[in-house]
Amino acid sequence: MPSLPLNIIEFVQNVDLLDDQTLSATQICCLKSVYGLPLSEPELEIYQRGTGRATYDQREQREATFIAGRRGGKTGKIAAPIVCYEACRDHGIPPGEEGVVMLLAPTIDQARIAFKYIRQYFEKSELLRERVVGRTKNEITLDNHIVIGCYACTYDRVRGRTAVAVVCDEIAFWADDVNAANPAEEVLAALRPSMATVRNAKLIKISTPYAKSGLIYNEHERRSELNFPVWRSTTFELNTTLTPEMFEAERRDNEEEFRREYNAEFVDAINPWIVPEILNPCVARDRRELPFQSDLPYYAALDAATRGNDFALVILHKNGDGTIVMDLRKVWEGTRTAPLPFEGVLGQVAGILQCYGINTVTGDQFYSDAVSQHLLKLGITYNLLPFGPTTRGNIFSGLKHLLVQQRIELLDDPDLLRELRSLREERTPRGVIDVRPTSGKDDSAVALALAANEAVSHKVATPFLMGSFNPLRLNPENCIMNGVCINFPTCQDDGYCLGYVKQILVPISHEAMVRPPVGS
């Protein structure tokens, strides 16, 4: 292997190393600007246009930001070459100490996208391949005690390790609220000390733009005063094999999305769903859960999941003045390797609902048949609300209306509040407002919005459905409503319920309520 120092461009174009002869003029200029290499007159014009700076700061940078359009090669042509180059340099790490080149992204799956490019570079080059002494799904270890790894952007991944280079991929989509888990500013603050004593360390941030808020947007607005370059380049400047005409149909469908995704512009189509000034007054400080009260109408909603996402249940009630009060949030979390025991979770859901005197729960179409059938066996009716293109926008609009008017009291639940703060409004190609998380999960937020929607749309909560066929043919001793039924324990339940709950306080006659089994 030719000994370094090769400069970054020589390293990329060397036929025995990365052997990439396809870099565009803008991609070359981006790489040169990180390492303080001389620029030609045409390259200087590209630099001035891309960074907004009148003069070129010809020195090797420890930090740089690239805001780029999709398919412009920001990952494969800029980030991946920097990672390979830095992994092969001498960073002055003491003998016996291990250095790491980190690929960070909102999720490990996203981080693996950049890692795929790096793995391909090392597999294609015999000289680079010979330096590999260890390999796992997410890491490559080299003979110079440098580890290249891809990780999710969390504190525990960045602390306690000597980072020689870090690539923060799609950082515009990292959490940016100070109260969020692993907000971008705090993750970077934790990273910088681990790079402080490293010779020629690199902190590279790359992303397509998102909302007019957060770390990347703030850097772009202040880029003339920062001591490192902040690039903003369109897809077509970075990748000259593409032209705007190729994406004319996408531009016609959604002009703002085209400007954001390909022209790398920060546009107004995406805005924070809620601001702290509206959310914070609706939080009942230090309230984690409320017990059942027999004289209140309760509503429940769930967002089902088996792995990856949370299975979330939210219960709330409505006071006499119309104020909605959140009582409980319960979450079950599965993983790809250990999915949730579906029926076991639904059994727990039914048990919690019974404690609150609820026999109906609302949810979407995800696994709706299985959820509905299993809950029905447990005496719970599943109220299906199919999600269409406008559903999320509608239910979150209703929840936001309650928050603005301070007609809802939320639990002081950090995870729920984090989800609510991460939500963003964005306009779809059809012009519909959708609400999605910037990063992370939104399962509890969805369940809350569904439950609030039910509470607002019903003046009186639906009581336990007496007279309906009970497929379990429960006897009074194990009836799920024996704690609130005024006829317990004298009822003669044999498949049909002859009683009624205390919410109504009027027993229903056998003749009025008994119905034949379904299908008879």
Side-chain angles (χ1 to χ4, degrees):
M1 173 178 178
S3 61
L4 296 176
L6 295 172
N7 69 43
I8 183 67
I9 304 303
E10 294 168 343
F11 183 86
V12 172
Q13 296 180 341
N14 189 297
V15 294
D16 293 321
L17 296 172
L18 303 195
D19 190 21
D20 189 346
Q21 318 301 325
T22 64
L23 293 180
S24 70
T26 300
Q27 291 165 351
I28 290 174
C29 190
C30 287
L31 291 172
K32 283 186 172 183
S33 72
V34 174
Y35 292 91
L37 300 179
L39 300 182
S40 66
E41 284 298 322
E43 289 172 338
L44 182 59
E45 292 180 7
I46 294 172
Y47 174 85
Q48 292 170 336
R49 183 170 64 251
T51 65
R53 298 185 175 210
T55 58
Y56 174 44
D57 183 12
Q58 191 173 338
R59 63 181 174 88
E60 184 166 352
Q61 306 288 336
R62 292 181 67 90
E63 187 169 345
T65 297
F66 298 94
I67 303 165
R70 289 179 60 190
R71 299 175 65 178
K74 63 184 182 297
T75 301
K77 302 290 187 177
I78 297 175
I82 289 175
V83 166
C84 296
Y85 186 67
E86 293 301 327
C88 295
R89 291 179 87 185
D90 179 8
H91 291 280
I93 298 175
E97 186 174 333
E98 186 179 76
V100 61
V101 178
M102 296 183 179
L103 304 168
L104 300 179
T107 67
I108 188 67
D109 287 340
Q110 289 174 288
R112 288 192 185 114
I113 296 173
F115 189 65
K116 178 181 177 182
Y117 287 105
I118 289 129
R119 189 172 60 242
Q120 288 174 345
Y121 278 134
F122 273 84
E123 290 173 351
K124 185 176 67 172
S125 166
E126 182 177 351
L127 292 177
L128 292 178
R129 190 167 60 248
E130 289 176 350
R131 303 205 61 177
V132 177
V133 297
R135 191 192 308 266
T136 66
K137 184 177 182 180
N138 297 326
E139 292 184 338
I140 296 173
T141 303
L142 305 184
D143 58 5
N144 59 354
H145 303 290
I146 297 291
V147 176
I148 305 170
C150 56
Y151 316 102
C153 53
T154 59
Y155 294 134
D156 60 342
R157 286 298 186 185
V158 304
R159 292 183 182 276
R161 307 185 75 176
T162 301
V164 301
V166 179
V167 172
C168 302
D169 199 5
E170 295 297 359
I171 194 171
F173 298 86
W174 293 20
D176 56 46
D177 191 283
V178 294
N179 295 310
N182 305 300
E185 291 278 10
E186 295 299 324
V187 172
L188 296 188
L191 271 171
R192 289 190 171 97
S194 69
M195 307 172 71
T197 60
V198 175
R199 182 191 306 156
N200 299 321
K202 293 286 178 291
L203 176 58
I204 307 297
K205 291 157 286 178
I206 61 173
S207 189
T208 50
Y210 192 60
K212 285 187 174 180
S213 62
L215 184 145
I216 288 294
Y217 176 71
N218 292 335
E219 285 190 353
H220 179 265
E221 294 300 290
R222 298 174 49 242
R223 62 181 180 164
S224 62
E225 60 191 76
L226 296 175
N227 64 353
F228 58 86
V230 177
W231 282 79
R232 189 183 71 80
S233 305
T234 70
T235 297
F236 316 108
E237 291 170 329
L238 287 165
N239 186 349
T240 53
T241 66
L242 303 176
T243 66
E245 290 71 28
M246 294 179 180
F247 302 90
E248 182 62 24
E250 294 184 39
R251 188 194 64 76
R252 288 197 303 268
D253 288 342
N254 192 323
E255 176 71 26
E256 286 191 327
E257 183 172 328
F258 176 86
R259 289 166 50 203
R260 184 179 76 246
E261 295 289 317
Y262 298 104
N263 285 348
E265 299 179 38
F266 292 95
V267 297
D268 294 319
I270 300 175
N271 298 294
W273 177 73
I274 201 74
V275 294
E277 292 77 12
I278 292 176
L279 180 63
N280 293 345
C282 297
V283 179
R285 296 302 171 191
D286 299 321
R287 182 190 294 171
R288 298 293 190 264
E289 185 177 327
L290 290 175
F292 169 70
Q293 299 180 59
S294 60
D295 58 342
L296 293 174
Y298 284 90
Y299 305 86
L302 59 81
D303 189 32
T306 57
R307 62 184 74 193
N309 293 325
D310 290 344
F311 191 123
L313 171 69
V314 167
I315 294 176
L316 46 78
H317 70 261
K318 187 191 294 186
N319 287 333
D321 61 0
T323 302
I324 294 170
V325 179
M326 187 177 175
D327 297 89
L328 176 139
R329 168 186 172 268
K330 177 69 175 177
V331 170
W332 298 262
E333 184 176 1
T335 66
R336 294 187 182 278
T337 56
L340 288 169
F342 204 59
E343 293 188 355
V345 171
L346 290 174
Q348 294 180 52
V349 168
I352 294 171
L353 295 176
Q354 291 159 20
C355 290
Y356 283 84
I358 302 171
N359 77 305
T360 300
V361 63
T362 299
D364 63 16
Q365 64 265 41
F366 182 79
Y367 281 156
S368 59
D369 288 342
V371 172
S372 177
Q373 292 173 17
H374 192 71
L375 286 178
L376 184 61
K377 294 177 183 179
L378 302 175
I380 305 295
T381 300
Y382 187 67
N383 179 30
L384 174 62
L385 179 63
F387 272 37
T390 64
T391 309
R392 290 179 62 97
N394 289 340
I395 63 173
F396 277 111
S397 176
L399 177 58
K400 186 174 183 178
H401 185 69
L402 292 171
L403 292 165
V404 169
Q405 293 191 334
Q406 295 188 25
R407 291 176 49 214
I408 187 169
E409 296 178 12
L410 302 179
L411 295 177
D412 192 357
D413 185 315
D415 291 333
L416 170 67
L417 299 177
R418 186 179 302 123
E419 288 189 14
L420 294 174
R421 294 186 185 106
S422 76
L423 295 174
R424 294 289 184 269
E425 291 181 348
E426 54 184 282
R427 188 175 296 109
T428 69
R430 296 183 179 182
V432 176
I433 296 298
D434 196 5
V435 178
R436 296 284 176 179
T438 304
S439 62
K441 303 171 181 177
D442 67 348
D443 312 274
S444 295
V446 170
L448 173 63
L450 280 170
N453 180 70
E454 284 296 299
V456 169
S457 60
H458 292 85
K459 294 183 179 180
V460 179
T462 303
F464 182 63
L465 186 58
M466 299 300 159
S468 60
F469 181 65
N470 182 350
L472 292 183
R473 309 184 75 82
L474 298 174
N475 61 42
E477 283 70 28
N478 60 16
C479 175
I480 63 173
M481 295 305 292
N482 60 31
V484 293
C485 177
I486 62 172
N487 285 342
F488 179 81
T490 60
C491 68
Q492 300 298 315
D493 184 9
D494 186 23
Y496 298 93
C497 182
L498 310 182
Y500 213 42
V501 294
K502 289 181 180 178
Q503 285 176 324
I504 305 300
L505 296 179
V506 177
I508 306 300
S509 69
H510 182 108
E511 293 76 18
M513 292 302 298
V514 172
R515 295 186 298 222
V518 176
S520 63

